[in-house]
Amino acid sequence: VTEVPRGPTSRRAPLTRDRVLRAAVALADRDGLASLSMRRLAQELGVEAMSLYHHVANKDALLAGVVDVVVGEINDEVARVDAPAPEDDWRGALRARILTARTVLLRHRWLPRVLEDASSFSLPVARYFDGVLGTLRAGGFSYDLAHHAMHALGSRALGFTQELFEPDDADVGEEQALALLAAAADQLPHLVGMMAEITHDDEGDGLGWCDDQTEFEFGLDLLLDGLERRRAGA
Amino acid sequence: VTEVPRGPTSRRAPLTRDRVLRAAVALADRDGLASLSMRRLAQELGVEAMSLYHHVANKDALLAGVVDVVVGEINDEVARVDAPAPEDDWRGALRARILTARTVLLRHRWLPRVLEDASSFSLPVARYFDGVLGTLRAGGFSYDLAHHAMHALGSRALGFTQELFEPDDADVGEEQALALLAAAADQLPHLVGMMAEITHDDEGDGLGWCDDQTEFEFGLDLLLDGLERRRAGA
DNA sequence: ACCTGAACACCGTTCAAGT
DNA sequence: ACCTGAACACCGTTCAAGT
């Protein structure tokens, strides 16, 4: 048998944990979380599914690794951003941290789902929260109040909120919601009233008038204001 | 061939949508959400998997139905509870609603996960939120502020928060967290400091000292206080 | 050491067939 | 009308085998 010269395709870069995780992030970004299966990921890397198990213990470990990659991205970005010194303005400092985290999460909208599942208290995640805690401490919080604050912020500390009604296709969801309101208007007087006022006000014709970023910041500021009041001992 | 007399097992109640949904809730309560597959559910009902499709369009529809069952439970309970009149005390009224919803959710801890996925804006869910909105309106909120308020509350309006670090086995998670803190203490000064103070204070030896209910109410009150301030036009 | 192929025990769902 | 059985196209993962 003669040796077949290996083409550039067969001389592929060796698989590494890092290459696996980055490919996983890219695949989820492109095709959604549902497409992130061991088999699809392997295919993406031009490899057999079982090869992945040499670099990642199992699918849970893959997801945990993926979380670390993205939270690492957040940590890098947070370190780079210039924010008020927390000693002078803890609120501004924390707000900047959180809104920075949010910009990264908006590039990986599937991450919240993954974060909830995987037992994801890893070093990168811990480092992010250590930074939040440090900001609060510099702003004069006791450990006890800072602890409550972290719970109160919850996922908001990482830049996202539980989106309760977010169907895959926003337009379809909106249509369904409007149909429901119309069909059961008598049972939903306040929702109907709200919709009536809002569609009248600004010609928005549905739920599309909710600006995620505005609502996120409204809720965040509500919490930060309340925390400052508690800190100041009101 | 002789007719075999049908035992009580074979004379089972006919399958109905309601029976399917209630069995699904019971199965998830007992064995967890991961066990809620069409095949397992059918087995639980003594029926073939395909029979379910006569009462439920597909798995998504099953999950949507399950949400409706539980939110229906919430609506019933909310209607029964006696709370302050919202005209007198909107905060007390809303607080009572939300903490009631929470008691139901604590009986079905898997529900939050389901709620996020399924395009779950159904009539029972709309009725719940209509009640929240009505409470705010009675308390003097404009539709605009009430709308912001509902976004700010998010899933908290239904009685739960995004639990970021909730591994299947809490003890294992705690152990891992402590191991991580020990291993990377130099990179996590604030978390380590907080743990040191807290374990010293009350002999709790880990993260078990977080009382979910207390933290939930702390965050809720923070938001309600902030909303009242905005309403009063501060 | 790293990768593979076949196999196992699961999924949701379609379809044609039974009563 | 309601239920079934076989089949399809997927999963994650184990294991023994290849290089």
Side-chain angles (χ1 to χ4, degrees):
Chain A
V1 208
T2 42
E3 286 249 340
V4 179
R6 314 181 125 228
T9 342
S10 61
R11 166 167 288 125
R12 57 168 184 255
L15 218 49
T16 63
R17 184 181 154 82
D18 196 62
R19 243 166 54 84
V20 169
L21 296 182
R22 290 186 185 285
V25 171
L27 178 56
D29 284 345
R30 177 156 53 81
D31 294 348
L33 193 55
S35 299
L36 180 51
S37 71
M38 298 299 271
R39 288 162 132 108
R40 285 265 281 120
L41 177 58
Q43 188 182 313
E44 210 74 15
L45 286 159
V47 101
E48 224 62 26
M50 291 314 101
S51 306
L52 301 176
Y53 285 81
H54 282 272
H55 301 97
V56 124
N58 51 34
K59 182 148 189 198
D60 275 356
L62 174 76
L63 293 177
V66 152
V67 166
D68 287 354
V69 168
V70 177
V71 176
E73 218 180 301
I74 289 177
N75 285 334
D76 290 348
E77 214 116 319
V78 164
R80 235 194 311 277
V81 88
D82 60 353
E87 290 79 10
D88 302 338
D89 175 12
W90 73 265
R91 228 185 317 179
L94 185 53
R95 199 172 194 280
R97 271 195 121 82
I98 291 176
L99 293 182
T100 299
R102 181 170 172 80
T103 63
V104 175
L105 276 181
L106 290 178
R107 298 202 295 265
H108 310 288
R109 301 195 86 114
W110 43 270
L111 194 81
R113 285 269 228 295
V114 180
L115 257 168
E116 290 166 57
D117 304 350
S119 44
S120 44
F121 192 71
S122 59
L123 183 56
V125 174
R127 293 218 299 136
Y128 180 80
F129 281 100
D130 195 72
V132 172
L133 187 51
T135 305
L136 292 170
R137 288 288 286 170
F141 280 66
S142 69
Y143 276 127
D144 185 53
L145 185 57
H147 171 237
H148 286 311
M150 309 245 288
H151 274 283
L153 288 168
S155 67
R156 247 197 188 89
L158 265 167
F160 69 95
T161 52
Q162 185 104 342
E163 299 292 348
L164 273 187
F165 311 111
E166 197 138 280
D168 296 336
D169 185 337
D171 287 339
V172 169
E174 192 171 311
E175 240 175 85
Q176 282 178 346
L178 289 174
L180 187 86
L181 286 189
D186 52 321
Q187 295 178 64
L188 307 168
H190 303 104
L191 283 173
V192 168
M194 183 169 78
M195 292 305 294
E197 184 174 303
I198 274 149
T199 55
H200 178 263
D201 272 14
D202 56 19
E203 304 192 349
D205 61 344
L207 299 169
W209 45 275
C210 306
D211 175 13
D212 282 354
Q213 185 68 23
T214 303
E215 301 302 344
F216 181 85
E217 295 187 19
F218 178 87
L220 178 60
D221 288 333
L222 218 52
L223 287 166
L224 296 181
D225 288 0
L227 289 170
E228 167 60 13
R229 214 170 311 271
R230 298 269 204 277
R231 187 200 62 79
Chain B
V1 209
T2 43
E3 286 248 340
V4 180
R6 312 184 124 228
T9 343
S10 61
R11 167 167 285 126
R12 57 168 186 255
L15 218 50
T16 63
R17 184 181 154 82
D18 196 62
R19 245 167 52 82
V20 169
L21 296 182
R22 290 187 185 285
V25 171
L27 179 56
D29 284 344
R30 176 155 54 80
D31 294 347
L33 192 56
S35 299
L36 179 51
S37 71
M38 298 299 271
R39 288 163 133 109
R40 285 266 282 124
L41 177 57
Q43 188 182 312
E44 209 75 17
L45 286 160
V47 100
E48 224 61 25
M50 291 313 102
S51 306
L52 301 176
Y53 286 82
H54 283 272
H55 302 97
V56 125
N58 51 35
K59 181 147 189 199
D60 276 356
L62 174 77
L63 293 177
V66 152
V67 166
D68 287 354
V69 168
V70 177
V71 176
E73 220 180 300
I74 289 177
N75 286 334
D76 290 348
E77 214 117 318
V78 163
R80 236 193 312 278
V81 86
D82 60 353
E87 291 79 9
D88 302 338
D89 176 11
W90 72 265
R91 229 185 318 178
L94 185 53
R95 199 172 194 280
R97 271 194 121 82
I98 290 176
L99 293 183
T100 299
R102 180 170 172 81
T103 64
V104 176
L105 275 181
L106 291 179
R107 299 202 294 265
H108 310 289
R109 301 196 85 116
W110 42 270
L111 194 81
R113 285 268 228 294
V114 181
L115 257 168
E116 291 165 57
D117 303 352
S119 43
S120 43
F121 193 72
S122 60
L123 183 56
V125 173
R127 292 218 300 134
Y128 180 80
F129 281 100
D130 196 71
V132 172
L133 187 50
T135 306
L136 293 170
R137 288 287 287 168
F141 281 65
S142 70
Y143 276 128
D144 185 53
L145 185 57
H147 171 238
H148 286 310
M150 309 244 289
H151 274 283
L153 288 168
S155 69
R156 248 199 188 88
L158 265 166
F160 70 96
T161 51
Q162 184 105 342
E163 300 291 349
L164 272 187
F165 311 112
E166 198 139 277
D168 297 337
D169 185 338
D171 287 339
V172 169
E174 192 170 311
E175 238 175 87
Q176 282 178 346
L178 289 174
L180 188 87
L181 287 189
D186 52 322
Q187 294 177 67
L188 308 167
H190 304 104
L191 283 174
V192 167
M194 183 169 77
M195 292 304 294
E197 185 173 302
I198 273 148
T199 56
H200 179 263
D201 272 13
D202 56 19
E203 304 194 351
D205 61 344
L207 300 169
W209 46 275
C210 305
D211 175 13
D212 282 354
Q213 186 67 23
T214 304
E215 301 301 345
F216 182 85
E217 295 188 19
F218 178 87
L220 178 59
D221 288 333
L222 217 54
L223 287 166
L224 296 181
D225 288 0
L227 289 170
E228 168 59 14
R229 212 171 311 271
R230 298 269 205 276
R231 187 199 62 79

